[in-house]
Amino acid sequence: MPELVFFSGTMDCGKSTLALQIEHNRSARGLQGMIFTRDDRAGEGKLSSRLGLVTDAVEAAEGFDFYGYLVAHLSKGGRCDYVIADEAQFLAPEQIDQLARVVDDLDLDVFAFGITTDFRSKLFPGSQRLVELADRVEVLQVEALCWCGARATHNARTVGGVMVVEGAQVVVGDVNQAPDEIGYEVLCRRHHRRRMTAATARAAALSPDVLPVEVADVSDRPSVRS
């Protein structure tokens, strides 16, 4: 039976790489898929991985109708054996409903890839709807790591290396941005709560002690004899 599968994880855990791998494996078996994306780091109409892989895709902008697009494509004699939707966290809930309808009414597998929560640890509306509707939710097993070495579970937005917790939910950026640009960093829950990024942790390590402790000279103290 066709399925709606949601592959979720933090940034930098290989979601887009897996999407490209699924496309490669299925196309190598003679199947033809339709790839959609939204606000990819490589630009409009692209699905890209941080490993340097990139392929063309249909840009699913605001108001895009997945079901209508695929029905029109198939009605004109086009072929589609499966659907890949990357950056699915940016999609509107009604667009996720359309993807579910593609599975149920057109009998196509849909593989959606996205981040579950934003930089404030709040669910993206698209991801929330996917969790509600998906036949399966798969958490990627390639673990991204916090700067401390622990498993990264949260996405942090940074400006100048400093974590920020206010602003629009969607601001396109990437990990390893220049220090003066808006960027993102994956953190463990402990350091996300403390708003401690790699840059602020280094700054704290290099700063002098706030309360220096002086070692008292005990040579002049009277001795205590039993």
Side-chain angles (χ1 to χ4, degrees):
M1 294 292 291
E3 290 184 308
L4 172 58
V5 186
F6 178 34
F7 294 93
S8 69
T10 62
M11 298 183 72
D12 211 20
C13 74
K15 295 182 301 300
S16 297
T17 302
L18 179 58
L20 289 164
Q21 185 67 54
I22 288 176
E23 162 63 15
H24 171 76
N25 291 350
R26 292 187 169 235
S27 63
R29 297 295 180 266
L31 300 176
Q32 294 183 18
M34 188 72 70
I35 303 175
F36 300 93
T37 190
R38 173 84 173 268
D39 293 335
D40 187 273
R41 68 183 72 85
E44 184 175 338
K46 298 292 182 182
L47 190 164
S48 67
S49 163
R50 292 188 181 86
L51 298 181
L53 305 173
V54 62
T55 191
D56 292 329
V58 177
E59 185 74 14
E62 184 177 353
F64 182 85
D65 185 345
F66 286 93
Y67 184 78
Y69 184 94
L70 285 163
V71 166
H73 174 75
L74 295 170
S75 298
K76 294 176 183 178
R79 180 180 172 184
C80 182
D81 299 309
Y82 59 94
V83 172
I84 291 174
D86 197 28
E87 306 293 356
Q89 72 273 6
F90 296 145
L91 301 177
E94 54 267 26
Q95 291 176 310
I96 304 302
D97 289 345
Q98 294 161 11
L99 290 175
R101 189 180 179 191
V102 167
V103 175
D104 296 339
D105 294 356
L106 302 182
D107 291 328
L108 299 177
D109 282 315
V110 173
F111 306 103
F113 300 81
I115 299 168
T116 308
T117 58
D118 64 14
F119 68 104
R120 300 165 298 185
S121 299
K122 303 295 184 182
L123 284 168
F124 281 101
S127 298
Q128 177 178 336
R129 193 61 178 147
L130 273 166
V131 171
E132 293 166 348
L133 292 183
D135 296 291
R136 286 189 291 128
V137 177
E138 300 283 350
V139 178
L140 296 195
Q141 298 303 308
V142 178
E143 294 184 350
L145 298 179
C146 177
W147 60 264
C148 70
R151 178 173 176 264
T153 55
H154 290 64
N155 305 292
R157 181 181 294 170
T158 61
V159 178
V162 178
M163 179 174 161
V164 296
V165 294
E166 295 182 354
Q169 186 176 49
V170 178
V171 175
V172 178
D174 203 354
V175 296
N176 301 320
Q177 294 286 86
D180 58 341
E181 297 180 0
I182 294 177
Y184 290 89
E185 183 176 345
V186 290
L187 300 172
C188 64
R189 184 182 65 242
R190 176 182 293 104
H191 289 124
H192 191 277
R193 286 178 49 246
R194 296 175 180 175
R195 303 184 188 180
M196 185 174 287
T197 64
T200 55
R202 283 195 297 269
L206 293 173
S207 63
D209 291 333
V210 177
L211 296 175
V213 178
E214 296 182 357
V215 179
D217 185 357
V218 298
S219 60
D220 294 332
R221 292 183 180 178
S223 59
V224 178
R225 297 179 181 176
S226 57

